[in-house]
Structure formats: structure tokens, C-alpha cells
Amino acid sequence: MTEPNYTVELTPPDIEPYRSGNTGIDYVTTFESRLAGPHVLVTALTHGNEICGAIALDRLFRSGLRPRQGKLTLGFDNVAAYRNFDPRVPIASRYVDEDFNRLWSPATLDDARQSAELARARALRPAVDAADFLLDIHSMQYATAPLMLAGTLDRSVALARRVGIPELIMCDAGHAAGPRMRDYGGFGDPASAKTALLIESGQHWERRAAEVATDVMLRFLITVGSLTRDDAQVLAGPDFDAHPRQRVIQVTEAVTITDDRFEFVQDFRGLEVLSPKGTLIAREDGREIRTPYDDCVLIMPSRRLAKGQTAVRLGRYVE
Ligand SMILES: [Zn+2]
């Protein structure tokens, strides 16, 4: 199986100017308007190697844009991992001890276990608790179309539609390895009004990912009322005015690796549509993993094939 070797086109920005912030949490800054309104949180570097989000936040800081209503909080999440970023081994800085985005349940955050990521998640928790809206900016291993991860709640899908980009919205419940920040607390509670989105902006190192991250962030901030269209225009990129016909992929299951000898049977990159039902996808110590229905979409096949992790998610276009 070939390992794609993507060129690192993006330069990780210096985020030291944002360390002290103004919230008492390192690398977290809150801007307050004088008008009542929602508290909006935009986060980057949930995975330390996904630098497009840091670029988008750095641009937003430098632009001097401030919220028209409510509060706007900007946060860099796994800074310890980001500090290890090395363009020669760009994949190595995803996390220090464990995946920051699998820790977001009260049980995990409250227990006594320690790790670099748990310490950071515990520090950030008050900022996440305080937010009405969250956009968490990510990127992907393979160069496929950007994906908005809207979770399982209708109000999140509705928000993704109002943002209007990217074309693909994916509804999924996350990973067996643990809940994501976007699913934490009220963000995953059908009875709450808190709403979260996660954008997978494109391949980790491509210039395009930073453009997508920036435009999605701007459209999100306009949608939730933090910025006006005129405000945001100063940072607008190629997708700022785009109005694609959005499509929704319903994820039906995540294939979780249960054995160390997991292998895909093809060099899948993501968004392949496989037919008929029963097409072989992977093998794992004698077990065959086959598509459960016709026109099955493969979502974000992983190159990190470790026990307990998600190998790939399976879904279907529902609109
Ligand atoms: Zn990520």
C-alpha cells in the first residue's frame, strides 16, 4: 500500500503572542461586545499537526475584527503537541500522550488519570462549558473534499446548512475510543440549545485547507451573529461567496480496530462509494469487513491502524 507523501505547503504561525490571552487560560482569548448575544467559541489545534486552524485564528486575531454582539472566544487547544511540529515529520505532532479529542466526557475529565492532553482539556473545560456555539477546526490525512461534522442532532445539521459551506455535511456519533469536544455536554444533548460543528478543512498540509478553514470560520461567525458580512470581507477567500448544493452523509457505523493485524484491501482515501452490498473493505485476523449496503460511502480511512481506534466510518448519502 502506498503512503502518500504530501508536501507541507503551510507554515505554522507563531502563536506565542496569544499565550497570555485574557481569560486566565493560556492561549484562550475572549472578546466582549457591548451588546447581548451568544458566546461563540472557535478552536484550533485540537490535533497539534492540523495547522490550518491555527492559521485561520491567527488571521482573525491580526485582522482586529471584534464581535458585534455577545462574546467571541478564540482558543488554541493542544499547544504542547503543536510545539513539536516538524515539517520533516509532520504527522508526529498530532498529540503528546493521547488524542485530545477522545476525552470529552465528565467521567474522563473528572477522574484521577493524568496526561498532557487531560491536563489541557481540564484547563479548557470552563471555556467549552461557557460557549453557546462551537466551531472546532481540523484537517485530514488524505486530500479529499472538506467535510462538516455535524454530529447527530438536527440543530447542528441546520446550523451547517445555514453556514452553507462546505458541500458535504456528515452526521456521525464519533468514536468508540471516546467522545469529542464537539459532542461534550450540551453540544451533544438533544434538550440543550448549545450547538457545535467540526470542520475537516482538507489535507493537513495543503494551502487549500487554510483557505477552507478561514472561509468556514467567517461564514460560521456571520451565521451566529458575531460578524457582519461586511466585517468578514477583509479576510474572505475563494469560498466566502460559494453556495454549493449541500449534501448530507449519514454515518451508520464506525469500524473500530480490534486486532493489531488490521489491513485495508485497497488504498482507500475517503469518499469512495462502494457497491454492491458486501464489498470487501478490510481484513483483520481472519475477520472480513464488508460494506453493509449498496452505495456505501467510506469516510476518513485512517493510516493509524491501532487497536481501539476508528479505522473508517461507513455511511450513505441521505440527500
Ligand atoms: Zn483532527
Side-chain angles (χ1 to χ4, degrees), residues 47 50 138-139:
H47 295 125
E50 300 179 359
H138 290 246
S139 54

Side-chain angles (χ1 to χ4, degrees), residues 21-43:
N22 63 357
T23 61
I25 310 169
D26 279 359
Y27 300 97
V28 177
T29 300
T30 297
F31 299 113
E32 292 193 39
S33 75
R34 291 185 187 154
L35 295 178
H39 191 160
V40 178
L41 173 62
V42 182
T43 51

Side-chain angles (χ1 to χ4, degrees), residues 31-40 66-72 224-227:
F31 299 113
E32 292 193 39
S33 75
R34 291 185 187 154
L35 295 178
H39 191 160
V40 178
R66 296 292 179 264
R68 293 281 178 169
Q69 58 169 27
K71 298 179 191 177
L72 174 60
V224 297
S226 301
L227 299 179

Side-chain angles (χ1 to χ4, degrees), residues 91-170:
I91 205 74
S93 55
R94 181 174 169 84
Y95 53 74
V96 176
D97 295 323
E98 62 182 321
D99 193 328
F100 175 92
N101 216 23
R102 305 287 182 269
L103 305 176
W104 289 88
S105 71
T108 302
L109 293 168
D110 287 337
D111 82 9
R113 197 165 67 76
Q114 300 293 333
S115 72
E117 278 74 21
L118 272 166
R120 184 59 179 155
R122 287 166 184 150
L124 280 160
R125 188 177 180 180
V128 182
D129 280 332
D132 300 304
F133 293 101
L134 166 67
L135 176 68
D136 190 26
I137 305 175
H138 290 246
S139 54
M140 300 182 277
Q141 298 173 51
Y142 293 117
T144 53
L147 284 170
M148 187 70 97
L149 274 55
T152 56
L153 299 176
D154 290 346
R155 64 174 186 272
S156 304
V157 180
L159 180 61
R161 289 192 174 287
R162 286 165 60 214
V163 171
I165 53 171
E167 179 190 342
L168 297 178
I169 300 168
M170 182 179 114

